[in-house]
Amino acid sequence: MNFRFVRDLSAHLAHSRNGSVVELVPELCPPEMKADLTVNAFKLAKALKSAPMPLAEEIRAFLAGHADVAGVECIKAFVNVRLKPEALFRDSVGDAAALLDGRFPEAKRRRVLVEFSAPNTNKPQHLGHVRNNTIGMATAALLRAAGHDVVPVNLINDRGIHICKSMLAYQRFGNGATPASTGMKGDHFVGDYYVKYDAEFRRQFAELKIARPELADKSSDELFLDVEIGRAAQEMLLKWEQGDAEIRKLWETMNGWVIAGFNDTYARMGVKFDRVYLESQTYMLGKDIIQDGLARGVFTKREDGAVVIDLEAEKLGSKVVLRSDGTSVYITQDIGTTLMKQNELKPDRQIWVVGDEQIFHFKVLFAILQKLGFAWAKDCHHMAYGMVNLPSGKMKSREGTVVDADDLFDEMEKLARAACAERAGSDSVENLDERAKVIGMGALKFMLLKVNPKTTMMFDPNASIQFEGDTGPYVQYAYARIASMLRKAGADALAAPVDWTVLGADEEKALALCLAGYGNALRGAADELDPSRLAGYLLDVARAFSRFYQACPVLVAPTPELRRARLELSARARDILKAGLAALTIGTLESM
RNA sequence: GCGCCCGUAGCUCAGCUGGAUAGAGCGUCUGGCUUCGAACCAGAAGGCCGGGGGUUCGAACCCCUCCGGGCGCGCCA
């Protein structure tokens, strides 16, 4: 988006307004207006603190005399500009390298740490994790495409009472089985023992209530230590913390199984981290900074011995940061790991991709870091995303309604494979496996990424995932069509110089103007931490290309010059589709 | 009780931070494969933007209020 008439208009306005410079971004003109771009003088007037109508007239008068402008008209304070076709194509898609470079200027590039996924090693990942992984990965890729230096990080929650639960159930019911002996994926194998623990706990809990009616109105949390297997889990945690050799060995073995399983899941999704932290190695962090803060009066010691911080001024109440027995709470660890990441990786900015139910927690965390006096605390950001609900409501593991990640991937691939086969008819399909993988995962990721991360979204497993309409495969298909066309055109089809003056059809102009918006879409998505913006933009590009392709013959264009120019336009669309999908971690196929 | 978020077409979602006649996809109906791949394209129907007040040249968007839903407010993580 680098239009000469816009630059000249900016200069003109700056001059006529005594040098006040205003950023001027033209909008696409609505189709029925029969113009190409619109300068919105309402908005501009606000920035320039002047009246809209005279400003619109001034802009109109200036543009009427501009060499690139074929026509200009004011409707209210919208100045609709019709460009001479050669100027339109020259300024929108004429410079291939500039078109494809969506990076921020160097001064705006930062080192950004993105933490996401953060799974517990007691059960396999489900659709909720898939949304987290997808958003996290896409955000990292997006920021990187926009020129930032990105460090994707995972922090695996590999210790704690929930881990001990599956360990305990394995000790009691496992009979020495292993993922290998059962042919199961390690995370699923361990997850089954977590379920077994839960079933046993509930059995004992019910028994206890029958044996002791006076406990009838107590919750399972309250009676946790009164239930035998609950107490046993607690004791195991204690032993783990004391470094008990046998427990540690079991823990290492089982975590190894789970993490191997996770790595398979990540590999299928294309998820990669620069750094993976384990909570077992970081959970003791944070205590020293609490002591330090206590000495500096940031925290106070309550009568009962607990260390607390007063955040009334921030309307966040007060928060315990060390228990009265001196042990850490969750937020203590978070303070510690945040500090560690900051010192180790030296980012300009830290981002956490964590569900929106933890908004309050992060507000408290950031407020504490501010009070501790860390200047970088203001650059900490919780990227809160919404839950994925099913038609039946929330996913509940207890009720068996969770959508398992690996099952979902299998299902996607199966559907994609069937779709490929169906479309191929009697023809055989080359590398069907790869196609099914790229299309299936593309459909799933795109489905998750096209909705705003903040939105609580609905997923209907029975409706399954679509390959038509506003979908990943629709965008991938536009790419594959262009690739196929350029293959047919031959290797040197793009060698000859392009004469943009031969273009001018509505569909050609619409496509070129759409393509010109790539940089803005990418940077906008990066600035707002919103991959859905880019996804929406890519749908626009794919749609604009499909319309163009329907209306304008390319390989069989009437003249060589027209063929050449349309091939070039198509190639630009191809490049943007590929780069854009890559910035969402979605792959493309040369044929599908 | 207090705080945050949400309510837009039958369904799933957009709506660029206050701008033109509120958009897309799915679904429904109609048309287009002897011209580059029909995972496509063209067209139709479908809306008091939860209700009511206000702010202004202008409101789905900002303010107040009510209704309906979600989440949070642990010495849990």
Side-chain angles (χ1 to χ4, degrees):
Chain A
M1 189 79 70
N2 190 17
F3 290 94
R4 202 172 286 173
F5 86 91
V6 173
R7 281 209 310 278
D8 295 343
L9 177 59
S10 293
H12 167 78
L13 289 176
H15 181 71
S16 76
R17 313 264 144 178
N18 301 321
S20 54
V21 181
V22 173
E23 203 196 351
L24 190 49
V25 181
E27 302 164 10
L28 292 179
C29 189
E32 34 327 328
M33 299 292 172
K34 298 300 285 176
D36 302 315
L37 292 165
T38 298
V39 178
N40 185 341
F42 284 111
K43 255 180 197 162
L44 211 54
K46 205 176 287 180
L48 290 167
K49 296 189 181 109
S50 63
M53 299 310 286
L55 179 63
E57 175 49 31
E58 181 187 346
I59 294 169
R60 193 206 59 77
F62 175 80
L63 292 181
H66 195 281
D68 289 347
V69 175
V72 56
E73 183 189 19
C74 282
I75 298 178
K76 297 197 261 182
F78 296 103
V79 187
N80 295 330
V81 184
R82 209 152 37 78
L83 286 171
K84 291 178 181 165
E86 63 266 31
L88 186 153
F89 292 103
R90 178 199 67 209
D91 289 353
S92 60
V93 294
D95 184 338
L99 181 65
L100 212 55
D101 185 355
R103 291 177 300 172
F104 288 108
E106 279 187 48
K108 285 197 67 182
R109 298 180 195 167
R110 298 285 180 272
R111 181 168 167 84
V112 186
L113 193 157
V114 182
E115 180 185 302
F116 64 98
S117 201
N120 293 334
T121 56
N122 61 341
K123 51 180 185 285
Q125 302 196 14
H126 59 66
L127 179 54
H129 300 104
V130 174
R131 188 177 192 193
N132 181 306
N133 295 342
T134 303
I135 289 173
M137 242 342 250
T139 301
L142 186 62
L143 292 172
R144 193 170 278 156
H148 296 302
D149 175 19
V150 181
V151 190
V153 160
N154 194 3
L155 199 166
I156 299 180
N157 296 74
D158 64 340
R159 53 130 247 142
I161 189 74
H162 51 292
I163 309 295
C164 291
K165 290 176 179 177
S166 37
M167 286 164 62
L168 189 59
Y170 180 74
Q171 267 188 339
R172 295 192 180 181
F173 314 121
N175 298 318
T178 66
S181 76
T182 54
M184 287 180 75
K185 194 161 166 282
D187 48 345
H188 290 263
F189 179 86
V190 172
D192 282 356
Y193 287 97
Y194 189 71
V195 172
K196 285 191 173 79
Y197 170 90
D198 192 57
E200 176 62 13
F201 180 90
R202 277 182 295 155
R203 195 188 63 75
Q204 291 190 15
F205 178 63
E207 256 182 25
L208 178 69
K209 283 202 164 177
I210 291 165
R212 297 173 59 189
E214 75 274 15
L215 301 175
D217 59 343
K218 298 283 188 186
S219 72
S220 59
D221 277 358
E222 288 171 302
L223 293 180
F224 185 72
L225 293 177
D226 295 291
V227 175
E228 183 275 326
I229 201 168
R231 201 166 50 247
Q234 185 63 44
E235 282 163 8
M236 183 180 272
L237 180 61
L238 224 62
K239 280 188 175 174
W240 182 91
E241 283 175 356
Q242 290 158 355
D244 179 282
E246 186 191 344
I247 298 301
R248 284 285 179 145
K249 187 156 186 285
L250 177 64
W251 170 76
E252 271 172 28
T253 303
M254 291 182 73
N255 269 339
W257 291 338
V258 174
I259 288 171
F262 285 171
N263 285 339
D264 283 354
T265 304
Y266 287 146
R268 287 181 86 174
M269 297 189 71
V271 168
K272 291 192 184 93
F273 301 101
D274 281 4
R275 198 66 76 91
V276 177
Y277 295 106
L278 299 174
E279 198 193 291
S280 57
Q281 291 167 5
T282 61
Y283 78 103
M284 63 299 263
L285 294 174
K287 279 183 159 185
D288 47 352
I289 190 71
I290 302 296
Q291 292 306 335
D292 176 62
L294 190 56
R296 286 158 47 207
V298 177
F299 307 114
T300 53
K301 189 166 263 186
R302 226 162 44 185
E303 316 79 65
D304 59 6
V307 178
V308 300
I309 185 166
D310 177 12
L311 297 171
E312 287 298 342
E314 291 81 4
K315 296 192 171 137
L316 297 169
S318 78
K319 177 73 191 167
V320 169
V321 292
L322 275 185
R323 296 194 186 96
S324 45
D325 65 2
T327 57
S328 300
V329 293
Y330 180 52
I331 205 158
T332 321
Q333 288 179 46
D334 261 4
I335 295 166
T337 51
T338 302
L339 235 65
M340 175 203 65
K341 288 186 291 177
Q342 190 67 35
N343 292 333
E344 226 174 87
L345 302 168
K346 303 263 188 289
D348 299 310
R349 188 177 187 203
Q350 291 201 42
I351 295 170
W352 286 257
V353 181
V354 176
D356 60 10
E357 73 263 319
Q358 295 206 41
I359 288 174
F360 183 75
H361 169 79
F362 278 98
K363 277 187 184 166
V364 172
L365 174 64
F366 299 157
I368 293 174
L369 292 169
Q370 293 270 13
K371 289 220 160 191
L372 282 168
F374 297 111
W376 46 262
K378 66 177 186 341
D379 299 308
C380 288
H381 186 261
H382 173 207
M383 184 175 174
Y385 67 92
M387 300 292 102
V388 184
N389 288 333
L390 305 175
S392 56
K394 298 182 67 169
M395 281 190 279
K396 291 188 179 125
S397 51
R398 183 158 292 182
E399 288 162 30
T401 56
V402 292
V403 176
D404 179 78
D406 298 308
D407 291 350
L408 183 59
F409 299 164
D410 290 344
E411 179 65 17
M412 294 305 312
E413 281 189 32
K414 207 178 93 189
L415 289 170
R417 185 181 299 267
C420 282
E422 182 193 319
R423 276 160 242 261
S426 56
D427 302 338
S428 68
V429 183
E430 280 176 49
N431 45 4
L432 185 56
D433 287 350
E434 197 213 344
R435 288 189 196 194
K437 227 174 116 176
V438 174
I439 294 167
M441 195 54 75
L444 176 59
K445 284 183 176 176
F446 199 91
M447 178 196 75
L448 295 169
L449 291 173
K450 79 174 176 184
V451 331
N452 189 305
K454 285 182 285 197
T455 303
T456 302
M457 66 178 289
M458 243 274 290
F459 174 74
D460 185 349
N462 297 321
S464 81
I465 295 180
Q466 304 295 314
F467 298 133
E468 291 165 9
D470 278 358
T471 65
Y474 173 78
V475 181
Q476 290 171 322
Y477 182 70
Y479 175 87
R481 291 289 301 271
I482 303 173
S484 161
M485 177 173 71
L486 288 168
R487 263 196 312 277
K488 282 189 183 150
D492 54 355
L494 299 175
V498 180
D499 175 8
W500 293 115
T501 65
V502 299
L503 298 182
D506 285 350
E507 292 85 359
E508 293 165 339
K509 293 199 285 186
L511 176 56
L513 289 170
C514 186
L515 293 173
Y518 175 65
N520 282 338
L522 180 67
R523 288 186 296 272
D527 262 342
E528 299 297 320
L529 293 178
D530 181 3
S532 73
R533 277 200 188 202
L534 182 58
Y537 168 77
L538 292 174
L539 283 171
D540 287 342
V541 174
R543 229 186 322 267
F545 172 76
S546 296
R547 284 180 182 154
F548 155 77
Y549 200 46
Q550 189 78 22
C552 305
V554 179
L555 294 175
V556 289
T559 69
E561 292 77 20
L562 194 54
R563 174 185 145 106
R564 176 67 191 90
R566 285 177 174 170
L567 273 173
E568 188 66 25
L569 189 56
S570 303
R572 303 288 157 87
R574 174 200 59 183
D575 294 344
I576 281 174
L577 290 172
K578 189 175 183 82
L581 286 173
L584 296 176
T585 74
I586 294 172
T588 47
L589 292 159
E590 298 306 306
S591 38
M592 63 186 274

